[in-house]
Amino acid sequence: MSATSEKLRKEFGEGDAKRDAGLKTPEDVVRYDNIQYGEDAKMNLLDVYRPKAAEGKLPVILNIHGGGWVYGDKEVYQFYCMSLAQRGFAVVNFTYRLAPEVKFPAPLQDTNRVVEWMYENQERYGFQMDQVFAVGDSAGAHLLGLYTCIMTDEAYAKNYAFRIPEGFRFQAIALNCGVYSFASPTMSAEEDFELRQDMLGEVTEERLKKIEVLPYVNGDFPPVFIMSALGDFCRKHVMELAAKLEKLEVPFGLHIYGTKETPLYHVFHCNMREPAAHQCNDDECSFFKSWM
């Protein structure tokens, strides 16, 4: 593992632990934890959250966590995901295999296996599989963007060995504080290269081009909720995505949160102590419901 990945794991881990310290499962949410969906008994685990008062099948939100492709798991997204469940959804929150221990496209393979698991378990956990939405932030938005490209572009899908379940489509997606290329505004060229190497193994221009999101975004994309903040270091990426969707005439809503005095920050929406997070999550779920 490179020094860059070690640094990210340390800094992100400390920040998330501080953010979530003392938070508890809301009383109006029921949760099913640590369900194995794939072969890796440690990493291929997921949770399901539902509003406790709800009965029968519910529309579903699938969460793909962020963390620079080298950090993160379902635990650091549990409180955000339960806040979505409180808004009337069944939420599937999963951990995927990370770089550098496992190389790309392992996270996309794991995402696809979770979708298969959802079909297999739709009756048990009450998933309305014709009303599936997805959220992803930062590197998770990158992965969700790529998975949606695979879903909507047959030629691009041929780059991957797995196949998305026949007929499966997202009703809408939310791409939050997303990164869609590998030119980081916060890292040196050396750190950028180390992260790419940890993620891909062999780094070539051809391999990098195949995992850029924007070139493969197409007119068959589902409606997109796009979110950033004035203090988000990925805001340039977000605006580029919005411009591409506008050109393609794909329905989208662009939301930039914060003020000059309080600009907010990257993935602020995961901080359940932040009032703006609740507003953002209200807006996100309202967008989804408008496409049901």
Side-chain angles (χ1 to χ4, degrees), residues 266-285:
H266 190 61
V267 299
F268 72 91
H269 66 300
C270 292
N271 184 354
M272 292 300 98
R273 293 186 172 91
E274 179 67 72
H278 294 278
Q279 181 61 58
C280 175
N281 297 342
D282 279 342
D283 294 342
E284 190 166 83
C285 289

Side-chain angles (χ1 to χ4, degrees), residues 106-117:
L108 295 179
Q109 294 167 341
D110 290 350
T111 300
N112 198 59
R113 181 66 191 100
V114 170
V115 172
E116 293 173 338
W117 179 91

Side-chain angles (χ1 to χ4, degrees), residues 1 5 9 68-71 96-104 107 195 197-200:
M1 182 189 301
S5 292
R9 285 187 178 181
W69 308 279
V70 300
Y71 164 82
Y96 54 80
R97 292 169 293 164
L98 299 171
E101 289 83 359
V102 183
K103 304 304 182 189
F104 186 87
L195 190 59
Q197 193 170 48
D198 280 352
M199 182 181 176
L200 293 173

